[in-house]
Amino acid sequence: MTRKEKSSDARRFRVAPEVSTEVVGERASSSGVLLFSAVLFAVVLAAVLGAGLLVGGRVTLGVVVVAAVAALLAIGCCHIAQQWERVVVLRLGRFSRVSGPGLFWTIPVIESNTMRVDTRTRVTTFYAEETLTADLVPMNVDAVLFWHVWDAAAACTEVGDFTRAVEMAAQTALRDAIGRASAAEVAIRREQLDRELKRVLEEKVAPWGVTILSVEVRDILLPKELQEAMSLEAQAEQRKKARIILMEAEHDIYEILDEMEGLIGDHEAVARLRTMHLLNESLREGKGTVVIPSAFAEGFNEGVGDLFKG
């Protein structure tokens, strides 16, 4: 095999995942949150300045500083989470609560927003490239995983990068499942492979606050030599079934001939009828010609005449 052919085979059997394994959809605009923060800053600043003006009769530099600090603290402790977001809040480094969606408040300096978790359904593509099956056949399998986070606290505190962890767990489970089955089982029993992967992944990622919705195998690539061998095997199986059906038909025909022999009472006449039937079958498509010797033809005609006389 030349270098060009090898590179062509490598491109054909390579299963490459997408660059981004997480579908983020349409990103929400942050203009509303920024506008809310600006309005809140202005309101708090104006309120403190107004209070200082009423108390002191005039606005001093100290009042301006206090008003600015109060406004900054206000926008620092006021947060907004989108409908699909959950925010993990830590208090002095320890888990406090999960906030959101909507408006929520935190204590400045003491509490902090550690992570915003997207709880929508995510799509992760994973693959097993040139993985050996139980009968030592290299296979390339490409699959897709549908999952979502149901416990934001566990996803943030139990695992460092839950997105990457789910992807690696799915890929490992796929390789293990392929290694336990033969090439024919992997290629034919795709739905069974989907169910097995879903069951294994559910047990693996449950402590991380992640739920597996479904696993679907998208593509299975076999070596060309194995595809040809499986094709020959399938053709042989079809020929076997055709021959069995043909023998069953012959058995039924001979049972009918036995009944006809009982009615006619002439075994040779029934045999000639069978000969006529075989000739009709061979010439039905009109692609051949049967040459009958004269002596055989005379006997054939005599048999037909006796049959009509009977």
Side-chain angles (χ1 to χ4, degrees):
M1 181 180 293
T2 63
R3 181 178 300 177
K4 183 177 181 181
E5 293 175 346
K6 290 181 179 180
S7 61
S8 177
D9 291 341
R11 287 193 298 268
R12 183 174 67 251
F13 288 114
R14 180 172 179 80
V15 183
E18 285 81 354
V19 176
S20 176
T21 59
E22 180 181 347
V23 177
V24 295
E26 297 182 358
R27 296 184 180 274
S29 175
S30 59
S31 59
V33 178
L34 295 177
L35 180 60
F36 176 81
S37 300
V39 172
L40 180 63
F41 181 87
V43 169
V44 174
L45 181 64
V48 175
L49 291 177
L53 181 61
L54 292 176
V55 173
R58 62 190 180 90
V59 177
T60 63
L61 179 60
V63 174
V64 174
V65 173
V66 172
V69 172
L72 291 175
L73 290 177
I75 63 175
C77 65
C78 181
H79 311 277
I80 295 178
Q82 304 295 339
Q83 178 65 36
W84 56 87
E85 288 182 336
R86 301 296 182 270
V87 182
V88 178
V89 179
L90 298 183
R91 180 176 298 173
L92 296 178
R94 298 178 65 87
F95 173 77
S96 175
R97 63 187 181 278
V98 176
S99 300
L103 180 67
F104 65 96
W105 301 82
T106 58
I107 303 175
V109 182
I110 298 177
E111 292 183 343
S112 60
N113 301 332
T114 301
M115 183 181 296
R116 290 177 178 262
V117 180
D118 192 334
T119 60
R120 293 176 294 182
T121 299
R122 307 190 185 196
V123 182
T124 298
T125 58
F126 60 101
Y127 64 96
E129 188 173 12
E130 295 184 355
T131 303
L132 293 178
T133 61
D135 49 357
L136 302 180
V137 176
M139 297 186 66
N140 295 335
V141 180
D142 186 12
V144 61
L145 174 66
F146 296 88
W147 59 283
H148 74 94
V149 178
W150 62 272
D151 189 352
C156 296
T157 59
E158 298 296 332
V159 61
D161 186 352
F162 62 87
T163 301
R164 182 67 173 170
V166 170
E167 181 181 353
M168 291 295 99
Q171 189 177 48
T172 302
L174 178 60
R175 290 180 178 271
D176 292 342
I178 294 175
R180 291 193 301 268
S182 63
E185 291 176 349
V186 174
I188 296 175
R189 301 178 181 177
R190 179 175 298 190
E191 295 182 357
Q192 182 178 354
L193 181 61
D194 294 344
R195 292 193 297 268
E196 181 180 354
L197 290 175
K198 184 176 184 296
R199 176 182 57 81
V200 173
L201 287 176
E202 284 177 344
E203 298 176 358
K204 182 69 175 179
V205 305
W208 304 340
V210 174
T211 297
I212 304 299
L213 301 178
S214 65
V215 182
E216 299 178 6
V217 175
R218 297 193 301 179
D219 196 10
I220 298 177
L221 299 181
L222 298 173
K224 185 177 180 180
E225 296 78 8
L226 182 59
Q227 293 181 12
E228 294 176 353
M230 295 180 67
S231 177
L232 293 176
E233 181 180 355
Q235 293 177 15
E237 184 68 21
Q238 293 298 324
R239 287 196 293 268
K240 175 183 176 182
K241 293 180 180 179
R243 291 180 180 179
I244 292 175
I245 294 174
L246 180 61
M247 295 302 297
E248 292 176 351
E250 291 290 337
H251 180 269
D252 295 339
I253 290 174
Y254 278 109
E255 288 183 351
I256 296 174
L257 291 177
D258 289 340
E259 295 177 0
M260 292 183 63
E261 183 178 352
L263 294 175
I264 298 175
D266 189 350
H267 177 73
E268 294 183 358
V270 174
R272 291 191 179 94
L273 280 176
R274 177 59 175 160
T275 303
M276 293 174 61
H277 174 73
L278 293 176
L279 288 174
N280 179 61
E281 289 293 328
S282 62
L283 299 176
R284 183 172 53 185
E285 297 182 359
K287 296 181 179 180
T289 303
V290 177
V291 179
I292 303 177
S294 59
F296 180 77
E298 292 174 358
F300 188 83
N301 292 333
E302 291 176 2
V304 175
D306 296 337
L307 178 62
F308 288 140
K309 291 178 180 180

